Amino acid sequence: MKLLTQIPLKKAQNQIDYTSKLLILGSCFAENIGAKLDHYKFQGLQNPFGIFFHPLAVENLLFKAVEQEVYEEQDVFDLNERFHCFDSHSSLSSISKEELIANLNKSIGDTYTRLKK
């Protein structure tokens, strides 16, 4: 009796190694994989805008990074004494509008830099 399903795998052409510059975007699965890669000292930028579940949110982030669009005051809003942005996860929210905008723009720059590598 076979209790395992055998799945034949082919070796991928582009292997990840310690010189790879990784950009890991997505859900909590991406967070867990990113944490494991970080533990083993891989060079990865993981969810610079926090966890995203919707593919359109990932697309918007990548578009903004490639176009090097910057965030400004009109892109953030105040709710419950914290500043938020609809383009990012609430983990990036801040009590300071300026700090949030600076963090968002740093994330854009970091993502752009990683995409160029």
Side-chain angles (χ1 to χ4, degrees):
M1 174 177 9
K2 274 184 139 179
L3 297 177
L4 298 173
T5 302
Q6 296 290 334
I7 301 173
L9 299 176
K10 295 179 184 175
K11 190 172 184 175
Q13 291 179 345
N14 298 321
Q15 297 285 309
I16 296 172
D17 61 21
Y18 285 104
T19 62
S20 300
K21 310 284 190 216
L22 306 172
L23 176 61
I24 304 154
L25 302 172
S27 66
C28 49
F29 176 76
E31 288 282 312
N32 287 306
I33 293 297
K36 195 63 96 169
L37 290 167
D38 186 53
H39 174 77
Y40 288 106
K41 308 300 182 204
F42 281 87
Q43 301 175 56
L45 176 61
Q46 169 185 316
N47 282 338
F49 281 80
I51 296 172
F52 285 139
F53 293 98
H54 198 285
L56 187 57
V58 174
E59 178 189 9
N60 289 338
L61 161 65
L62 292 173
F63 179 81
K64 284 181 181 284
V66 168
E67 297 297 320
Q68 296 181 317
E69 291 184 9
V70 295
Y71 285 91
E72 298 173 350
E73 282 193 31
Q74 67 265 19
D75 298 319
V76 301
F77 62 94
D78 182 13
L79 178 67
N80 297 328
E81 299 179 11
R82 292 188 63 84
F83 288 91
H84 309 272
C85 178
F86 285 122
D87 290 345
S88 68
H89 189 268
S90 61
S91 63
L92 270 72
S93 297
S94 175
I95 58 172
S96 163
K97 181 190 322 181
E98 293 77 17
E99 180 183 10
L100 174 58
I101 293 170
N103 288 340
L104 291 169
N105 288 329
K106 180 183 180 317
S107 293
I108 285 290
D110 292 347
T111 304
Y112 177 78
T113 300
R114 186 50 55 121
L115 287 171
K116 294 302 265 183
K117 290 185 177 182

